[in-house]
């Protein structure tokens, strides 16, 4: 009650099917769905009057007056209404959800709050270097660091993924100085939900 639950998964993972089953718009082979402690059935109109769906494209803006639009969307807010939220934008999910379920191929493969999910990632740290030029030899040497999992280069940006280690940034800075490598910017960040999602499903959220 009062929770905002993020339902995430790549295209075809079962998000829309799940929502349609909850609404009894699709038949399912087995299992039961309960809402407010009651079993949801096609004719459960007493339950349906207390739930609602907002689609990605809301086509009422041009049909209603300004006042009617404001009145309608304000009326969607119910204090302590549970919300099941599906999105293709991980940043949104990380910002507004209390708990997240990740679906893939119709099954729950992970669930928890954003901090719990981030602990599932095997990677420990991601360091990004913005640089005008870096040789393949330098990239090969960095790749041999004990704690480096992978390194990729895209135009003037190099991304290094670490699987563990406590002073990865310090080690890298010392190496770049020793090799006389000049860079524009360098920053470190912890795993994001998108990193976790990619690691668990092998796909980007928008795939």
């Amino acid at each position: 009650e009062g929770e905002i639950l993020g339902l995430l998964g790549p295209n075809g993972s079962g998000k829309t099917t799940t929502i349609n089953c909850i609404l009894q718009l699709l038949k399912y082979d087995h299992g039961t769905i309960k809402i407010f402690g009651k079993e949801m059935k096609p004719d459960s109109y007493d339950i349906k009057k207390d739930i609602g769906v907002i689609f990605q494209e809301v086509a009422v803006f041009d049909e209603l007056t300004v006042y009617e639009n404001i009145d309608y969307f304000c009326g969607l807010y119910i204090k302590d209404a549970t919300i099941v939220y599906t999105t293709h934008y991980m940043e949104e999910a990380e910002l507004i959800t209390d708990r997240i379920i990740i679906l893939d191929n119709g099954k729950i493969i992970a669930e928890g709050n954003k901090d719990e999910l981030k602990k599932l990632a095997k990677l420990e740290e991601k360091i990004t270097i913005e640089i005008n030029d870096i040789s393949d030899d330098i990239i090969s040497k960095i790749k041999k660091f004990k704690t480096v999992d992978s390194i990729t280069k895209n135009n003037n940006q190099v991304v290094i993924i670490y699987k563990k280690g406590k002073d990865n940034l310090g080690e890298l800075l010392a190496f770049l100085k020793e090799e006389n490598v000049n860079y524009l910017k360098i920053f470190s960040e912890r795993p994001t939900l998108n990193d976790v999602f990619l690691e668990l499903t092998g796909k980007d959220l928008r795939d």
Side-chain angles (χ1 to χ4, degrees):
E1 184 175 345
E3 179 181 58
I4 300 178
L5 174 69
L7 190 62
L8 306 181
N11 287 336
S13 63
K15 302 186 299 297
T16 302
T17 299
T18 298
I19 298 296
N20 285 336
C21 286
I22 291 174
L23 298 173
Q24 296 294 303
L25 298 176
L26 282 179
K27 292 182 179 180
Y28 41 93
D29 298 327
H30 58 273
T32 57
I33 294 172
K34 288 186 177 181
I35 300 178
F36 310 129
K38 300 177 183 178
E39 185 175 350
M40 184 67 161
K41 298 179 179 179
D43 61 350
S44 299
Y45 300 113
D46 58 325
I47 301 175
K48 290 184 178 183
K49 70 180 179 62
D50 291 324
I51 63 177
V53 180
I54 304 175
F55 296 98
Q56 183 175 358
E57 300 295 335
V58 182
V60 297
F61 296 111
D62 297 332
E63 310 299 325
L64 305 179
T65 66
V66 172
Y67 177 83
E68 288 170 336
N69 268 292
I70 294 172
D71 183 61
Y72 171 73
F73 285 104
C74 287
L76 295 174
Y77 173 77
I78 301 175
K79 187 178 180 182
D80 296 329
T82 300
I83 296 174
V84 178
Y85 182 74
T86 65
T87 180
H88 277 175
Y89 296 95
M90 193 65 77
E91 302 82 7
E92 289 181 0
E94 190 161 357
L95 183 65
I96 71 172
T97 60
D98 302 303
R99 188 164 59 96
I100 293 171
I101 286 176
I102 296 179
L103 292 176
D104 197 23
N105 294 320
K107 297 185 181 297
I108 295 175
I109 60 173
E111 64 178 300
N113 61 42
K114 60 184 180 182
D115 293 324
E116 290 169 339
L117 289 178
K118 286 178 182 179
K119 290 179 182 177
L120 297 176
K122 295 176 183 176
L123 60 96
E124 178 70 22
E125 185 177 10
K126 179 164 70 174
I127 295 179
T128 303
I129 311 170
E130 290 187 9
I131 192 167
N132 285 329
D133 187 40
I134 186 169
S135 68
D136 291 338
D137 181 57
I138 294 295
I139 289 179
S140 296
K141 288 180 179 179
I142 294 174
K143 190 179 288 187
K144 292 177 181 177
F145 288 7
K146 289 183 179 179
T147 55
V148 167
D149 183 64
S150 65
I151 180 170
T152 56
K153 179 185 175 184
N154 185 17
N155 295 324
N156 68 334
Q157 194 173 75
V158 176
V159 177
I160 307 168
I161 303 296
Y162 289 84
K163 47 194 172 185
K164 59 181 179 178
K166 293 184 178 179
D167 191 27
N168 298 318
L169 183 58
E171 179 188 37
L172 180 62
L173 289 172
F175 171 78
L176 295 176
K177 183 178 180 180
E178 182 180 332
E179 296 288 335
N180 294 314
V181 176
N182 297 316
Y183 53 87
L184 303 174
K185 188 187 297 183
I186 186 167
F187 57 92
S188 167
E189 58 186 326
R190 301 289 293 165
T192 64
L193 278 182
N194 199 57
D195 294 324
V196 175
F197 187 88
L198 185 62
E199 188 170 307
L200 292 176
T201 68
K203 306 170 187 173
D204 187 80
L205 184 58
R206 295 178 179 85
D207 286 347

